[in-house]
Amino acid sequence: MNIFLAKLGLLIALPIFLAFQADLPRPADAEYNLGTGSQPEIAIDQNGTVRIVYGVKNGDHRDLYFVSSNDGGKSFSKPDLLGNFSKMGLGMGRGPQIVTTAEYTVVTVGDHNGDLFSMRLTNADNQWSAPVKVTDTDSTAKEALSGLSAGKGNDVYTVWLDTRLGNNNLYGSLSKDGGLTWEKNQLIYQGEQKGICDCCKPSVFFDQSGDMHVMFRNKLDGARNMYLISSKDNGKHFSTAQKLGTGDFMIDGCPMDGGDLAADENGKVTTVWRRQLEVYVAEPGKPEIKLGAGRTPVILQTGKGPAIAWQKDGAIQFRSPNGQKTVSIGNGQYPKLVMMADKKTSLCVFERDGQILVKPLVL
């Protein structure tokens, strides 16, 4: 009789337990699926709000979407359609860029018409500006490959590939008001042999002192190597471009892989990039270190060192900041990383089978 009552109690309690279980919050390490999209980019503001932009192919059109999270990536807002760009670049590093400043969130979008646009969200009242044009010529940024970084205050700098001199060269522009207005476009680097590599995304990063560092893939004497160029005055003047690593990437074509860079609190720059079918990490002026096979690496500077993610055989690899462990976090491509407010975890956003996934990672 006691056994019968015990079993009966279990049968009654089980549905209640399962219903309660369904209302529990997701585990801290669970993935969050944002839905259909490609080429996500992620940023976090000074209040810890996570912001993500991505593109969605809609027939012959391209839609720009935005989501945010106020709980560390456990849940996200409903996708907000920011606009339609008929030829927005999507794929192979092409796609919207996003950064946050003291007061604003800035998004840039390049299209295959050859124009680069920006939009500004005022964080205090959650209001978006209308798109404004960044490029001051028409139809010269047709590769739709650009990078974006935030400096001090509301300074923002963007870099892109531009053909106004006849070949793709490296151009940039500064905004001092969080992307609402932009200064005259500036030639950062002109390729010595008919431009620079035509289809690799350039990257830009402000360190904590305000120095700005730009990485791009050059093409010199048959080699497609990565180069670094820096500025101490918000892009008014740049240093001589410096080759990264000691080896050469000899290829008659474009790898379509631009790598990434970051700097620590002392201004030490670390870069990650691909050569052949391998991923390397390198500091300027030092030999490169091979991490393993793969492509599309990204880097996140932490207090323990740089954390790095990349794609290998259809899966995302994550290397811990101390470099002691590399793990696969599941199938996917085009990872991006951001540091959470606790400095102990990061969020990785990436593509998987036409969907946008977000996954927390312990640093």
Side-chain angles (χ1 to χ4, degrees):
M1 184 67 175
N2 289 339
I3 295 175
F4 172 77
L5 291 175
K7 288 183 178 180
L8 180 62
L10 181 61
L11 290 173
I12 294 172
L14 184 59
I16 298 174
F17 172 76
L18 291 176
F20 173 75
Q21 187 95 330
D23 291 332
L24 290 176
R26 296 180 312 114
D29 61 348
E31 296 178 343
Y32 193 100
N33 190 329
L34 297 179
T36 301
S38 62
Q39 299 293 277
E41 288 281 351
I42 188 169
I44 185 170
D45 69 18
Q46 58 188 8
N47 296 318
T49 300
V50 178
R51 306 179 191 275
I52 297 174
V53 287
Y54 56 93
V56 175
K57 296 179 180 179
N58 181 15
D60 294 333
H61 299 282
R62 302 291 184 269
D63 295 330
L64 175 65
Y65 281 92
F66 168 83
V67 298
S68 62
S69 172
N70 294 315
D71 57 10
K74 295 182 178 65
S75 64
F76 284 87
S77 64
K78 181 180 178 181
D80 185 11
L81 176 63
L82 299 186
N84 175 273
F85 296 82
S86 61
K87 293 187 177 181
M88 178 170 61
L90 282 178
M92 305 305 293
R94 299 176 178 90
Q97 307 294 298
I98 186 170
V99 294
T100 59
T101 72
E103 299 176 85
Y104 305 108
T105 297
V106 186
V107 174
T108 56
V109 180
D111 63 33
H112 291 297
N113 291 316
D115 300 315
L116 182 64
F117 298 92
S118 73
M119 301 174 67
R120 185 182 82 172
L121 173 71
T122 303
N123 294 337
D125 60 15
N126 210 36
Q127 295 297 311
W128 285 96
S129 71
V132 298
K133 192 176 174 184
V134 178
T135 41
D136 55 20
T137 58
D138 293 328
S139 304
T140 59
K142 289 186 177 181
E143 286 298 333
L145 287 161
S146 67
L148 186 67
S149 185
K152 295 182 177 179
N154 291 310
D155 288 353
V156 178
Y157 199 88
T158 180
V159 296
W160 68 91
L161 303 187
D162 194 291
T163 60
R164 69 186 71 184
L165 298 179
N167 302 104
N168 272 308
N169 293 288
L170 186 63
Y171 271 76
S173 183
L174 174 71
S175 172
K176 294 184 177 181
D177 56 9
L180 190 63
T181 62
W182 296 84
E183 296 185 355
K184 178 179 174 59
N185 296 176
Q186 180 182 12
L187 174 64
I188 298 174
Y189 180 88
Q190 183 173 2
E192 299 174 24
Q193 299 173 1
K194 296 183 179 180
I196 62 176
C197 199
D198 295 293
C199 303
C200 285
K201 180 183 183 297
S203 303
V204 57
F205 189 87
F206 278 99
D207 65 27
Q208 291 188 21
S209 69
D211 291 353
M212 183 172 64
H213 311 281
V214 181
M215 186 174 70
F216 64 98
R217 194 180 292 277
N218 212 342
K219 58 176 182 181
L220 288 171
D221 300 322
R224 303 290 177 110
N225 298 320
M226 304 304 294
Y227 278 69
L228 184 74
I229 193 166
S230 301
S231 173
K232 294 182 176 295
D233 54 12
N234 273 353
K236 292 183 176 67
H237 305 88
F238 281 90
S239 64
T240 301
Q242 176 184 8
K243 178 189 169 185
L244 293 164
T246 59
D248 288 313
F249 191 175
M250 306 303 296
I251 180 175
D252 184 17
C254 182
M256 303 187 79
D257 198 337
D260 198 13
L261 76 164
D264 66 12
E265 60 184 7
N266 298 314
K268 183 178 73 173
V269 176
T270 305
T271 67
V272 289
W273 34 268
R274 169 189 156 206
R275 186 172 69 216
Q276 302 294 352
L277 299 177
E278 306 286 345
V279 172
Y280 293 84
V281 59
E283 297 176 21
K286 294 184 178 181
E288 63 273 41
I289 299 171
K290 184 167 68 174
L291 300 182
R295 55 180 299 178
T296 63
V298 290
I299 188 169
L300 174 67
Q301 188 65 50
T302 78
K304 301 177 182 179
I308 301 170
W310 69 94
Q311 174 188 343
K312 175 187 176 184
D313 297 331
I316 304 297
Q317 309 298 309
F318 179 73
R319 181 179 184 262
S320 62
N322 56 20
Q324 294 181 358
K325 184 171 65 173
T326 299
V327 297
S328 174
I329 65 170
N331 292 339
Q333 60 183 352
Y334 298 112
K336 303 292 179 179
L337 297 169
V338 72
M339 175 95 74
M340 299 306 295
D342 62 7
K343 308 294 184 182
K344 298 178 181 179
T345 57
S346 69
L347 284 183
C348 181
V349 61
F350 55 94
E351 295 180 28
R352 178 191 292 156
D353 299 328
Q355 304 284 301
I356 304 295
L357 280 298
V358 184
K359 186 178 180 65
L361 301 170
V362 177
L363 295 173

